[in-house]
């Protein structure tokens, strides 16, 4: 995603000739590929797949499909996960396949194939709603919730909270909190909403003055939101959290510049302005 963006930035943003821009971009892309190729080659040698990870099947079958079912069939997430596991076990049994004898990439391939068959039959609106809900969770889930581990506070796990909609699960999740932590979480959500407004304002200001930088921010943030999909949680925004911090700083700077929080001090007695 960044390679074509960098090329466009060099050509239209910096005025670099297209061929020369392509050379610069190929150097960047080549250096990036050099970091990944050894791991890809390792997986090809050991697992027979030129892929980064064997988690694609788990991601699709254990998270994406159950989240889509929430919107298409009204099945709570945890029930959808259990149903998916039962269906995969039945399919493997019918085909005489023993999961324990399969390698990680072979298991992933079977999960991907089954998940894709299911998703192709689901309404496009349900898939879109699952992605939109995941993006909302990714952006607004307060990291404060993980403080419960350090404090030893018992709480439910959001992924396993009952509810057919994001709002239902959110309410049940907060109700499952014990004592003051639920109220602290509500406060965190309110602060998060305010921070996001300031960051949007920061992005608008950046678009006016540094359009290519702002567009790069949008590309990176949008990429990680799309890749995470329905699986939204505070930790999944870590890759682009530094960009959100920059947008917050820009928004606060512009806000202070437009609405000074302090009044100009009057000149001291006897001071003569020159």
């Amino acid at each position: 995603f960044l390679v074509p963006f960098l090329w466009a930035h060099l050509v239209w943003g910096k005025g670099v000739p297209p061929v020369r821009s392509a050379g610069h971009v190929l150097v960047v892309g080549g250096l990036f590929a050099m970091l990944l190729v050894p791991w890809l080659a390792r997986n090809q040698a050991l697992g027979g797949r030129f892929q980064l990870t064997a988690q694609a099947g788990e991601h699709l079958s254990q998270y994406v499909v159950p989240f889509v079912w929430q919107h298409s069939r009204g099945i709570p997430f945890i029930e959808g996960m259990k149903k998916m596991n039962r269906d995969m076990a039945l399919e493997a049994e019918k085909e005489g396949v023993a999961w324990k004898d399969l390698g990680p990439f072979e298991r992933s391939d079977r999960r991907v194939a089954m998940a894709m068959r299911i998703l192709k039959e689901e309404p496009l609106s349900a898939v879109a709603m699952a992605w939109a809900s995941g993006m909302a969770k990714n952006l607004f889930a307060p990291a404060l919730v993980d403080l419960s581990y350090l404090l030893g506070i018992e709480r439910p796990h959001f992924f396993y909270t009952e509810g057919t909609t994001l709002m239902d699960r959110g309410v049940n999740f907060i109700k499952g909190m014990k004592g003051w932590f639920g109220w602290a979480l509500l406060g965190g959500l309110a602060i998060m909403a305010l921070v996001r407004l300031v960051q949007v304002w920061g992005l608008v200001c950046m678009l006016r003055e540094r359009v290519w930088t702002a567009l790069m921010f949008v590309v990176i943030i949008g990429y990680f939101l799309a890749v995470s999909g329905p699986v939204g949680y505070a930790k999944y925004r870590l890759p682009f959290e530094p960009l959100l911090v920059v947008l917050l700083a820009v928004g606060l700077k512009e806000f202070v510049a437009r609405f000074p929080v302090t009044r100009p001090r009057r000149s001291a007695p006897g001071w003569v302005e020159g």
Side-chain angles (χ1 to χ4, degrees):
F1 285 90
L2 279 178
V3 164
F5 173 83
L6 292 175
W7 182 84
H9 171 49
L10 290 174
V11 173
W12 289 291
K14 297 294 185 179
V16 181
V19 176
R20 185 179 174 188
S21 298
H24 290 316
V25 170
L26 286 176
V27 171
V28 175
L31 292 173
F32 179 72
M34 288 175 61
L35 300 175
L36 299 181
V37 167
W39 183 257
L40 294 171
R42 177 259 185 195
N43 286 346
Q44 174 65 35
L46 298 181
R49 298 292 187 279
F50 200 69
Q51 299 175 9
L52 277 175
T53 175
Q55 293 183 348
E58 181 179 358
H59 175 73
L60 284 171
S61 64
Q62 297 295 286
Y63 294 96
V64 174
V65 170
F67 277 126
V68 171
W69 278 346
Q70 277 190 326
H71 298 280
S72 64
R73 308 184 186 184
I75 301 176
F77 171 78
I78 186 62
E79 295 300 325
M81 181 182 287
K82 293 177 180 178
K83 172 177 169 53
M84 193 66 186
N85 287 331
R86 290 194 300 267
D87 292 347
M88 285 190 297
L90 288 174
E91 182 177 276
E93 184 179 351
K94 289 180 181 179
E95 297 178 3
V97 176
W99 278 95
K100 62 180 181 179
D101 297 333
L102 299 177
F105 285 100
E106 292 174 318
R107 291 194 293 268
S108 178
D109 289 343
R110 292 187 62 87
R111 286 171 171 166
V112 168
M114 184 173 182
M116 292 304 298
R117 289 199 305 268
I118 294 173
L119 290 174
K120 288 179 181 179
E121 298 176 355
E122 296 297 322
L124 185 59
S125 59
V127 177
M129 283 297 298
W131 248 258
S133 298
M135 290 180 179
K137 289 182 294 183
N138 200 328
L139 286 171
F140 292 96
L144 175 69
V145 69
D146 288 325
L147 186 62
S148 61
Y149 294 115
L150 297 177
L151 299 178
I153 298 174
E154 294 184 13
R155 65 170 180 85
H157 197 293
F158 189 81
F159 283 156
Y160 302 104
T161 302
E162 297 291 343
T164 57
T165 65
L166 180 60
M167 183 63 69
D168 291 340
R169 293 172 63 206
V171 172
N172 292 335
F173 178 72
I174 293 176
K175 286 182 177 179
M177 296 287 183
K178 294 185 178 181
W180 58 271
F181 197 74
W183 293 104
L185 187 60
L186 285 175
L189 287 170
I191 295 174
M192 183 73 72
L194 180 61
V195 167
R196 291 291 178 257
L197 288 175
V198 177
Q199 289 166 335
V200 170
W201 171 243
L203 179 61
V204 172
C205 295
M206 188 181 288
L207 282 168
R208 294 174 180 172
E209 300 179 5
R210 301 176 64 90
V211 60
W212 284 102
T213 302
L215 290 176
M216 184 184 70
F217 277 33
V218 171
V219 169
I220 295 175
I221 293 173
Y223 166 79
F224 284 106
L225 288 176
V227 168
S228 297
V231 187
Y233 201 61
K235 63 183 179 182
Y236 294 109
R237 66 171 177 265
L238 280 175
F240 61 88
E241 190 70 60
L243 304 186
L244 297 178
V245 173
V246 172
L247 292 177
L248 178 62
V250 173
L252 290 174
K253 176 179 178 296
E254 292 295 327
F255 182 83
V256 172
R258 289 173 178 265
F259 308 100
V261 294
T262 59
R263 296 181 180 179
R265 297 176 60 183
R266 294 183 179 180
S267 299
W271 175 264
V272 179
E273 295 183 359

